[in-house]
Amino acid sequence: MNEELTGRLRAAAEAHQPDRARILARVERGMSDAPARHRESSGARPWPRVALASLATACVLGVGGFAVAAIVQSPPPARPDISTTPAAPSATGTPRPTPSAPTTGGPTTAPDRSSSTTPSPAASGGTGSARPGGARVQDGSLSSAGALGSNSNIYWAQSNITLKTTQPLTALTVELRISQTGGVQSTGTWRTLPADDFTVTAQHEGGALVYRWILKPGRTVPVGQHVFAGQYNHATGEREAKHDGYRADANGPQGALSVWGGFTPTR
């Protein structure tokens, strides 16, 4: 039985309205045709025949009702099971790029602190540094001397560099190197020339405290005698200065000039 036929039967069953009067008449008519065993008197029907007719009518109506209920309530034929489970999302996709590690740019080399304050050889007139051992205290119009200040004591000292020039200098770098003999720390500097004419630094380099005075561009060192002094604390006691040194590089009318030397005690 296909779905179309089932639907039509269901519709007919729902539309059916049983005619109880016609059914009861048919039942009575059928029963009246049967041979009577006893002749009944005219008038009311005997109760067995009425009861039987009622029972037959009830059976017919009951069977009809069951048939209609069976047709109406019967479930439609099962359809094939169709899976509604959604397909699993694809595992593939556009992968996100893995962030790269930050670029460090390689090791950074610490800048040479002396290069920012020390003029080039062409400007200063020399390429050396104040080192102990050997001396050249005069070069042309420029002469020099190194000595410990008379005010030095067992806790503190001052090293003086005296320069003499017979011609003006257009470039000058003076370097004072105090060997680290223990507890050596800068306490200041001074010079007899104007402070605004020089850039001054004091820093520890290669086991020594190094002072530098650099003449600023456009300034001039006049003819005469000029003193540059470095002051510092040191370990308690008489300090040995034989490893200290100085150097001066300059430019003047005669060109590049350089002098260097050590320090002698003043007492």
Side-chain angles (χ1 to χ4, degrees):
M1 182 182 294
N2 56 31
E3 293 184 8
E4 182 180 1
L5 180 58
T6 302
R8 293 176 63 182
L9 289 175
R10 184 180 295 109
E14 292 175 351
H16 175 70
Q17 298 293 334
D19 190 347
R20 294 186 59 180
R22 291 181 61 187
I23 295 174
L24 184 58
R26 291 179 63 183
V27 171
E28 290 181 351
R29 192 167 47 249
M31 294 181 65
S32 64
D33 293 340
R37 293 184 180 181
H38 302 284
R39 194 67 185 167
E40 299 174 356
S41 61
S42 59
R45 298 175 182 269
W47 68 267
R49 179 175 298 181
V50 175
L52 182 61
S54 299
L55 180 61
T57 302
C59 291
V60 171
L61 292 176
V63 172
F66 281 122
V68 172
I71 294 175
V72 173
Q73 296 180 2
S74 60
R79 296 183 180 181
D81 185 15
I82 301 176
S83 175
T84 58
T85 304
S90 175
T92 61
T94 303
R96 296 183 178 180
T98 302
S100 58
T103 304
T104 60
T108 303
T109 304
D112 183 1
R113 290 179 291 180
S114 63
S115 62
S116 61
T117 56
T118 304
S120 63
S124 64
T127 60
S129 180
R131 300 289 181 182
R136 185 171 76 177
V137 297
Q138 186 167 356
D139 184 11
S141 60
L142 181 64
S143 62
S144 64
L148 289 177
S150 58
N151 54 350
S152 298
N153 54 53
I154 61 173
Y155 308 106
W156 178 91
Q158 176 178 300
S159 296
N160 300 328
I161 304 169
T162 302
L163 296 179
K164 293 180 181 180
T165 178
T166 58
Q167 293 184 347
L169 304 176
T170 56
L172 175 65
T173 297
V174 179
E175 181 180 292
L176 167 62
R177 182 176 292 267
I178 305 300
S179 179
Q180 181 58 263
T181 55
V184 175
Q185 293 290 336
S186 175
T187 60
T189 67
W190 61 269
R191 88 269 90 226
T192 56
L193 290 167
D196 291 342
D197 288 356
F198 289 86
T199 299
V200 184
T201 61
Q203 54 198 14
H204 292 273
E205 298 176 5
L209 173 61
V210 180
Y211 298 91
R212 288 190 181 91
W213 295 264
I214 302 173
L215 184 66
K216 294 179 180 179
R219 310 298 173 90
T220 301
V221 176
V223 174
Q225 178 174 296
H226 311 290
V227 178
F228 298 83
Q231 301 170 329
Y232 48 92
N233 289 329
H234 59 76
T236 303
E238 293 293 333
R239 181 181 174 276
E240 181 61 63
K242 65 180 180 180
H243 296 298
D244 300 346
Y246 72 87
R247 182 182 179 101
D249 297 303
N251 273 343
Q254 298 177 342
L257 304 169
S258 296
V259 291
W260 60 85
F263 295 88
T264 57
T266 56
R267 63 176 184 274

